[in-house]
Structure formats: structure tokens, C-alpha cells
């Protein structure tokens, strides 16, 4: 993920706080926020995850004129094929094993993230490791590290995500 411009806007913070059901007025009332230690509307924890919508290549972001698998069972353009074998006889995975799982997410704040900031972000690979699983065989873990910088180039947030893929498809009963 590479984000050239992620504006941290008060209205975006308000909507994010509502989405995570956090009624703290510091996210919606500028006067309350001004009286706080920060003196500005802070972004809720995990807010930087919303920056993916500012990445033009983010795979979960709908793109105008292109099929999108969406977030529902039946998408708006791309059909998922059922598990089994394809025309060449190769095994085609399904379910969580087909695309892996998002296993962990960590955020390290180097300084407060507040409304009015404009961030840039770069993602780089982190560590990889394996662990033996009980049902899916070997589990392959991989980290991705996204660093968010403010307009002066100062590091604001480091986000570390961990994904896991199974060695083989886990059959559902």
C-alpha cells in the first residue's frame, strides 16, 4: 500500500467513531476536543486503517467501471467458483484457506493523530514464519508494516498486520 495523501478530517473521524460505536464527544465536538490535553479532535484508535480507501490500488476498494467482488455473498461482478478442481484438474481452494486470514493488527502511535493532519503511508514486508497447524497443515505467517508520516515527514503511526495462510484447504463438515 502506498498512499500519497490521507487527509485526517473531522467529519471522517466523526463517521469512524460512529461506525465503531464510540460515543465519546471528543470525536464529534470541537469545543470538547479543544479543552482536552490534545487541544484538537483526535482520531480513534485503528483510524489509520481507513486510509486504505485513499490507496487507488487497494484490492478491496471498488473501482468505477470494474467488477468488484464486494462484501456480500453474491458480488456485483465477480463470481467465486466453488471448491474442487479446475479444468486442468488442479485443486482449487475455497473458504478461508483460499485467500488466507487477517490474523493480527497492531498500532504504535509515535505522536497523537488529530484532525487537520495530512498523512502519507508506505507499506513494506516484515517478518515471516511458519507453525504446524492441526487441520490445515503448515501455517505460513507474514507481516506487513505500514508507516504513516505527517506533512513534515515525521513518523506518526506504525501499523503492523499479520496474515496467515494454510498449507492445504480445510474441509468444512
Amino acid at each position: 500500500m502506498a498512499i500519497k495523501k490521507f487527509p485526517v478530517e473531522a467529519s471522517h473521524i466523526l463517521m469512524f467513531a460512529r461506525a465503531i460505536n464510540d460515543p465519546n464527544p471528543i470525536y464529534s465536538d470541537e469545543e470538547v476536543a479543544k479543552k482536552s490535553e490534545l487541544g484538537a479532535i483526535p482520531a480513534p484508535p485503528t483510524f489509520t486503517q481507513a486510509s486504505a480507501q485513499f490507496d487507488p490500488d487497494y484490492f478491496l476498494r471498488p473501482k468505477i467501471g470494474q467488477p468488484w467482488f464486494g462484501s456480500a455473498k453474491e458480488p456485483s461482478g465477480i463470481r467465486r467458483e466453488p471448491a474442487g478442481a479446475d479444468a486442468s484438474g488442479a485443486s482449487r481452494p475455497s473458504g478461508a484457506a483460499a485467500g488466507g486470514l487477517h490474523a493480527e493488527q497492531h498500532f504504535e502511535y509515535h505522536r497523537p493523530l488529530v484532525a487537520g493532519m495530512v498523512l502519507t503511508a508506505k507499506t513494506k514486508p516484515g517478518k515471516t514464519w511458519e507453525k504446524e497447524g492441526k487441520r490445515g497443515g503448515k501455517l505460513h505467517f507474514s507481516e506487513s508494516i505500514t508507516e504513516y508520516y505527517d506533512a513534515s515527514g515525521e513518523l506518526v503511526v506504525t501499523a503492523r498486520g499479520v496474515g496467515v495462510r494454510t498449507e492445504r484447504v480445510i474441509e468444512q463438515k
Side-chain angles (χ1 to χ4, degrees), residues 72-111:
K73 185 175 181 179
E74 288 299 323
S76 58
I78 299 174
R79 290 190 73 114
R80 292 181 188 200
E81 298 299 325
D86 62 17
S88 70
S91 175
R92 188 176 45 243
S94 67
L101 293 171
H102 181 94
E104 295 179 22
Q105 188 72 44
H106 303 265
F107 297 91
E108 181 180 357
Y109 286 79
H110 305 282
R111 55 185 291 220

Side-chain angles (χ1 to χ4, degrees), residues 4-26:
K4 293 180 181 175
K5 185 177 178 183
F6 173 38
V8 180
E9 299 169 342
S11 60
H12 196 186
I13 290 172
L14 169 67
M15 290 186 285
F16 191 91
R18 286 180 179 165
I20 61 172
N21 198 27
D22 190 332
N24 189 332
I26 200 167

Side-chain angles (χ1 to χ4, degrees), residues 17 30-31 33 38 46 63 93 100 107-108 134 156 158 160:
E30 190 173 356
E31 294 306 315
L38 296 174
T46 74
K63 296 172 182 68
F107 297 91
E108 181 180 357
K134 292 181 180 176
V156 179
T158 301
R160 184 176 68 86

Side-chain angles (χ1 to χ4, degrees), residues 65-163:
Q66 296 180 18
W68 181 57
F69 66 85
S71 59
K73 185 175 181 179
E74 288 299 323
S76 58
I78 299 174
R79 290 190 73 114
R80 292 181 188 200
E81 298 299 325
D86 62 17
S88 70
S91 175
R92 188 176 45 243
S94 67
L101 293 171
H102 181 94
E104 295 179 22
Q105 188 72 44
H106 303 265
F107 297 91
E108 181 180 357
Y109 286 79
H110 305 282
R111 55 185 291 220
L113 178 60
V114 296
M117 296 174 86
V118 178
L119 305 178
T120 58
K122 291 182 180 175
T123 300
K124 59 185 178 184
K127 295 185 291 186
T128 60
W129 65 97
E130 296 177 344
K131 182 178 179 182
E132 196 61 41
K134 292 181 180 176
R135 295 176 49 206
K138 196 173 288 183
L139 303 173
H140 305 273
F141 293 87
S142 61
E143 280 183 327
S144 67
I145 299 169
T146 303
E147 295 175 325
Y148 295 88
Y149 296 90
D150 66 10
S152 67
E154 190 172 338
L155 183 61
V156 179
V157 177
T158 301
R160 184 176 68 86
V162 177

